[in-house]
Amino acid sequence: MEQTVLPAAAGGAQTIEVNLGPQHPSTHGVFRMIAELDGETIVRLKPVLGYLHRNHEQIGEGNTYIASFPFTDRLDYFNAMSNNFGLALAIEKLGGVPASERGERLRVIMAELTRLVNHTAVTGFLLNDMGAFGTPLLYAFREREKILDLFEAASGSRMMCNYVRPGGVREDVPEEWLNRARAIVDGYPRFLDEFEQLLTENEIVQQRTKHVGVLPKELAVNAGITGPMLRASGVNYDIRKVDGYSIYPQFSFKVPLGTVGDVYDRYYVRILEMRESIKILQQALKDVPGGPALSPKGVALVKAPRTFKPPKGEAYGRVEAPKGELGFFLVSDGSAVPYRYHIRAPSFVNLTVLEDMCLGQKVADVIIILGSVDIVLGEVDR
Amino acid sequence: MLPALEELKTAIEQQLPGVALALEAGVVLVEPKDLAAVGRCLKESERFRLDYLANVTAVDYPPERMDVVYHLYSMAHKHGPLTLKVKLPRAKPVVASVTPIWRAAEFQEREVYDLYGVVFEGHPDLRRILMWDGFEGHPMRKDYVPENQNAPEPA
């Protein structure tokens, strides 16, 4: 441990440098923070990334467009479905692949179920970080598991779904699956009520989270923060509304906003977003259109990936993933393999302001501030 | 709505004398020396208000060119994207950092520096971010040869 002496202006008090992580349960993976402390207060904090770096982008530049889908599952391994969705949209934009009506509907259902999974789990983890070991997290995981069972039934895998394709989805689902999904979605508000009763007005939760890790609106926009974290700071920006991609304009839903931008707002915006996702799901699961789950061009692409050669050009496709803007930037040189394959990962960019939020806070607050950012290292390090 | 690219080009060239932009397949090409001025103008002028830098990345075109690509949106006016591109000589890729304009570039420029070796002048903390300190080379460059993992370890 290194010790540095502050200049005399600070009264000659000593600050101490502490390493948090990379092997630490609160870092949600292998993430390291070098914190400089004055007593218990943070005066400097530098994140250190890259422990899980595997040069995903270079792997993508050696694969056909379709072959990258299983790799995107491993980016943000909580939300395989929305990662697939982002890449599918970018490929559709690049190669002009239309999606089938049923495929679009199923993709939106999957993306919103993923949002439920992510927000439920992250809220549970946040409480774990606060010291409420076990109970909230297990309540969250109990519900999450029901949705993962649905994913398993549809795609064959709980988490590494590899399900969405350009032009629709890989496999169709039977009517029975839709009924199961309807039952789970209809039961979800009851779980959220129970969860909120446990947490939202809990005095300890409020004491720990209110006015902790405040992120001002201007800084959030300037630093490119996206997702629930941006909206908790009161900026109305949801890519589902702004871009209106896929069939989102058909559904009515609101964009919940926070006011202060503290950890509590980030927690509560996620709860409200889940309630909006349930609204979308209830609309989407009504009268699911028939027809093929994958458009004819999509079938050709899946069956013979080497014959799919998009024209020269570039495309930037983005989706509102549960963690924020997930963008895929593809450059084609006219061959079956992308010339450039870049991922704009939301949790990577959201970490930019970690230091700003932590300055002047206590060490214990750093853990919950990091928890409220909602990072997944598979995506940060790529 | 974002104005058409021709309109945008004339508007910026009028505001910033001495700056010449070029258009290429939906992309605005900026001279490396003008990048900071053009960026500030796009962010601050009421008409564009491109206050949100979504994405920064590079594309390598050996043997002589390296592009840095910026995707801009407006959270205030909810329009976009505008794609900016600077073409740099591959042997010495140096461009002004846009981190003072958009903080969003801070980590993303570090990533481009790390993986492609583009130097961003004026970046507050230009260090490697994904690869470790002391790593040699830039692994996303097209001519990067990965280390042979099957080579016998020195005894």
Side-chain angles (χ1 to χ4, degrees):
Chain A
M1 208 177 277
E2 248 179 71
Q3 290 200 347
T4 37
V5 181
L6 267 192
Q14 278 197 330
T15 61
I16 186 169
E17 205 171 270
V18 176
N19 254 314
L20 295 157
Q23 303 295 342
H24 191 279
S26 73
T27 59
H28 303 262
V30 274
F31 175 69
R32 178 174 158 214
M33 292 172 280
I34 304 173
E36 195 176 325
L37 306 177
D38 180 6
E40 277 266 331
T41 312
I42 306 282
V43 292
R44 194 176 63 98
L45 184 132
K46 290 285 169 209
V48 181
L49 327 170
Y51 291 94
L52 212 59
H53 181 54
R54 53 218 186 269
N55 222 339
H56 178 103
E57 293 179 4
Q58 198 183 51
I59 298 172
E61 285 171 20
N63 281 340
T64 55
Y65 288 89
I66 285 290
S68 284
F69 277 93
F71 288 94
T72 59
D73 290 342
R74 276 103 182 142
L75 280 174
D76 172 359
Y77 40 77
F78 271 90
N79 308 315
M81 292 284 192
S82 33
N83 299 343
N84 293 168
F85 199 0
L87 180 56
L89 280 188
I91 295 176
E92 283 170 11
K93 224 168 160 181
L94 188 70
V97 184
S100 73
E101 212 184 332
R102 188 178 173 86
E104 273 302 10
R105 186 68 76 95
L106 288 174
R107 297 203 290 205
V108 168
I109 292 172
M110 294 303 179
E112 292 309 314
L113 283 173
T114 302
R115 202 178 309 278
L116 289 182
V117 169
N118 180 73
H119 287 358
T120 310
V122 75
T123 315
F125 279 125
L126 181 65
L127 268 292
N128 225 24
D129 291 343
M130 257 181 249
F133 292 115
T135 314
L137 185 63
L138 286 177
Y139 275 41
F141 267 49
R142 183 192 65 199
E143 294 307 307
R144 169 177 175 263
E145 210 59 36
K146 290 179 190 166
I147 297 179
L148 293 188
D149 282 347
L150 277 181
F151 287 169
E152 187 176 18
S155 72
S157 176
R158 288 165 68 245
M159 288 172 80
M160 304 293 121
C161 302
N162 182 17
Y163 185 64
V164 181
R165 288 285 178 275
V169 295
R170 177 163 57 89
E171 300 287 343
D172 203 350
V173 294
E175 189 59 32
E176 190 210 329
W177 185 93
L178 292 171
N179 286 333
R180 268 175 71 189
R182 283 178 195 122
I184 288 172
V185 169
D186 289 339
Y188 221 81
R190 194 168 157 263
F191 155 70
L192 284 181
D193 292 342
E194 177 193 51
F195 211 44
E196 276 206 69
Q197 219 167 31
L198 189 68
L199 306 172
T200 304
E201 285 178 17
N202 184 319
E203 202 181 331
I204 303 172
V205 172
Q206 296 218 353
Q207 293 260 333
R208 283 298 306 276
T209 57
K210 284 217 159 169
H211 301 287
V212 169
V214 176
L215 177 64
K217 209 170 172 175
E218 296 72 31
L219 178 63
V221 173
N222 193 246
I225 305 303
T226 44
M229 211 173 142
L230 175 75
R231 293 188 284 275
S233 293
V235 184
N236 187 350
Y237 195 79
D238 187 317
I239 297 166
R240 292 174 292 176
K241 290 274 191 199
V242 175
D243 281 10
Y245 64 91
S246 190
I247 50 167
Y248 277 109
Q250 291 177 15
F251 304 118
S252 81
F253 63 101
K254 289 195 217 99
V255 180
L257 297 179
T259 46
V260 187
D262 53 8
V263 174
Y264 184 80
D265 276 3
R266 289 197 274 279
Y267 152 74
Y268 201 54
V269 159
R270 289 197 175 98
I271 297 277
L272 293 176
E273 261 183 30
M274 282 196 269
R275 296 201 185 270
E276 295 303 317
S277 283
I278 291 169
K279 273 192 217 161
I280 299 177
L281 279 166
Q282 281 169 339
Q283 295 167 56
L285 283 164
K286 212 178 279 168
D287 316 316
V288 178
L294 197 57
S295 65
K297 218 169 166 187
V299 174
L301 208 171
V302 171
K303 290 262 165 76
R306 286 257 161 212
T307 60
F308 176 70
K309 290 176 182 165
K312 273 187 188 176
E314 56 184 57
Y316 182 68
R318 57 176 197 164
V319 289
E320 181 72 36
K323 290 178 169 60
E325 170 177 342
L326 176 68
F328 284 85
F329 176 63
L330 298 173
V331 178
S332 163
D333 59 353
S335 73
V337 174
Y339 186 75
R340 177 78 176 100
Y341 167 81
H342 172 72
I343 296 143
R344 187 260 189 220
S347 20
F348 176 69
V349 181
N350 286 359
L351 278 176
T352 313
V353 291
L354 184 66
E355 184 180 19
D356 302 66
M357 290 192 294
C358 290
L359 289 183
Q361 307 280 347
K362 302 278 185 262
V363 185
D365 295 334
V366 172
I367 307 298
I368 59 168
I369 292 170
L370 181 70
S372 75
V373 176
D374 184 12
I375 57 165
V376 159
L377 269 298
E379 180 180 78
V380 173
D381 291 344
R382 279 159 292 146
Chain B
M1 274 295 284
L2 199 62
L5 288 183
E6 278 83 20
E7 213 178 308
L8 187 140
K9 175 176 173 313
T10 27
I12 291 180
E13 282 172 349
Q14 266 172 8
Q15 276 191 38
L16 302 168
V19 169
L21 302 178
L23 302 180
E24 180 192 281
V27 174
V28 179
L29 287 178
V30 187
E31 291 287 324
K33 63 175 173 51
D34 301 333
L35 181 67
V38 172
R40 208 166 280 281
C41 173
L42 286 171
K43 185 189 166 192
E44 280 161 13
S45 75
E46 192 41 48
R47 178 123 172 261
F48 311 124
R49 278 291 287 283
L50 293 161
D51 50 3
Y52 166 46
L53 176 66
N55 184 39
V56 182
T57 190
V59 189
D60 186 15
Y61 294 100
E64 67 273 329
R65 213 175 91 212
M66 175 109 54
D67 292 0
V68 181
V69 188
Y70 303 84
H71 289 94
L72 293 166
Y73 287 84
S74 168
M75 280 193 186
H77 296 339
K78 302 217 168 17
H79 60 215
L82 177 72
T83 315
L84 292 185
K85 215 178 242 186
V86 280
K87 294 188 173 176
L88 304 174
R90 191 165 182 272
K92 195 168 173 277
V94 181
V95 70
S97 165
V98 294
T99 307
I101 309 171
W102 297 282
R103 265 287 293 284
E106 188 180 334
F107 279 17
Q108 302 193 58
E109 284 184 341
R110 276 178 70 184
E111 184 191 314
V112 173
Y113 164 72
D114 188 357
L115 303 181
Y116 280 94
V118 177
V119 176
F120 294 94
E121 276 179 338
H123 189 286
D125 185 20
L126 196 65
R127 287 178 292 133
R128 286 191 180 273
I129 189 164
L130 295 175
M131 307 306 283
W132 57 94
D133 298 337
F135 179 83
E136 280 178 26
H138 302 288
M140 280 300 287
R141 286 195 175 199
K142 290 281 177 189
D143 53 6
Y144 176 78
V145 183
E147 149 197 15
N148 181 7
Q149 304 252 335
N150 298 323
E153 277 188 29

